[in-house]
Amino acid sequence: MDRRNWLSTLNLTYPLYTGGLIRSYNKQAKSAVEIAKQEARRTDLKIIYDVKRYYYAALLARNVRQITEEALARLQATLDLTESLYKKGSGKVKKTDYLKAKVIVDNVRALVAKMRNTEKIAKAALINTMGLDWKTCIKIKAQEIPFDPYPTDVNKFIIGAYQFNPDWSRLKEAL
């Protein structure tokens, strides 16, 4: 043979009858793709749920911090009044009254510091869940958690749970 000729062979084996094996493999592959889609949908829904939950946690932490700061300011005014009455010697305020008020104010001051840290942690969790850089500064726009009452028809909730639940869809595809 000279250099211009090539010799090659091709051996192809194709089964005439597989008993439905190829069709079942195709069906399994399509079901696996659907299961993967439902898993991706579940991940998306979990991210949305977590972001919403951490947003309202940060909002709640901010509101509780504001309430504790207001309480501290009022208790501090009460402590100042108690101190002035005790030191000027009106006779109505004893040293134990003054010390009790001072202990309460110090406890509330510690609670305010704890609420400030809780607010920072809630914001950090929200930033982390949203996938932002940890140095990102965010501000919570809402002033209060909205109250959205749900209808009381339990059957609609159950139907919606079955219809939109990714786990239920995965189970149907697996079956």
Side-chain angles (χ1 to χ4, degrees):
M1 291 177 77
D2 61 33
R3 293 183 182 175
R4 286 189 242 162
N5 290 335
W6 290 81
L7 181 64
S8 64
T9 61
L10 176 63
N11 188 6
L12 179 66
T13 304
Y14 188 79
L16 296 176
Y17 179 70
T18 61
L21 189 64
I22 294 174
R23 191 174 68 221
S24 69
Y25 283 158
N26 289 338
K27 192 173 179 182
Q28 284 178 2
K30 287 178 185 177
S31 294
V33 168
E34 281 301 315
I35 288 172
K37 284 180 184 178
Q38 292 302 323
E39 189 63 33
R41 183 172 167 266
R42 178 179 178 75
T43 302
D44 292 344
L45 291 174
K46 181 160 178 37
I47 290 171
I48 292 168
Y49 171 76
D50 286 344
V51 167
K52 197 173 194 180
R53 186 177 67 160
Y54 289 137
Y55 177 80
Y56 289 127
L59 175 61
L60 181 64
R62 184 191 65 195
N63 290 348
V64 170
R65 179 196 45 87
Q66 289 173 347
I67 291 169
T68 54
E69 286 175 348
E70 289 174 13
L72 177 63
R74 291 178 184 185
L75 286 172
Q76 186 64 46
T78 304
L79 177 64
D80 294 342
L81 179 64
T82 305
E83 183 180 14
S84 67
L85 289 175
Y86 168 66
K87 290 189 176 179
K88 291 185 181 174
S90 68
K92 299 280 184 187
V93 178
K94 300 178 189 173
K95 186 173 184 176
T96 56
D97 297 331
Y98 167 69
L99 292 175
K100 283 180 186 177
K102 189 166 177 68
V103 166
I104 291 172
V105 168
D106 287 340
N107 284 338
V108 172
R109 190 171 286 126
L111 185 62
V112 167
K114 185 177 180 181
M115 289 299 113
R116 286 181 182 146
N117 287 336
T118 302
E119 183 182 10
K120 287 179 186 177
I121 289 170
K123 283 184 177 180
L126 176 61
I127 289 169
N128 185 31
T129 304
M130 290 190 306
L132 300 174
D133 186 37
W134 65 276
K135 295 178 184 178
T136 304
C137 182
I138 60 170
K139 289 185 179 181
I140 306 297
K141 184 177 178 181
Q143 296 300 318
E144 60 184 40
I145 297 173
F147 175 68
D148 294 330
Y150 290 109
T152 56
D153 188 14
V154 178
N155 291 329
K156 286 184 181 178
F157 282 132
I158 292 172
I159 291 170
Y162 283 133
Q163 185 177 4
F164 298 113
N165 189 343
D167 289 335
W168 186 253
S169 298
R170 284 177 49 204
L171 182 63
K172 283 192 329 190
E173 287 300 324
L175 292 176

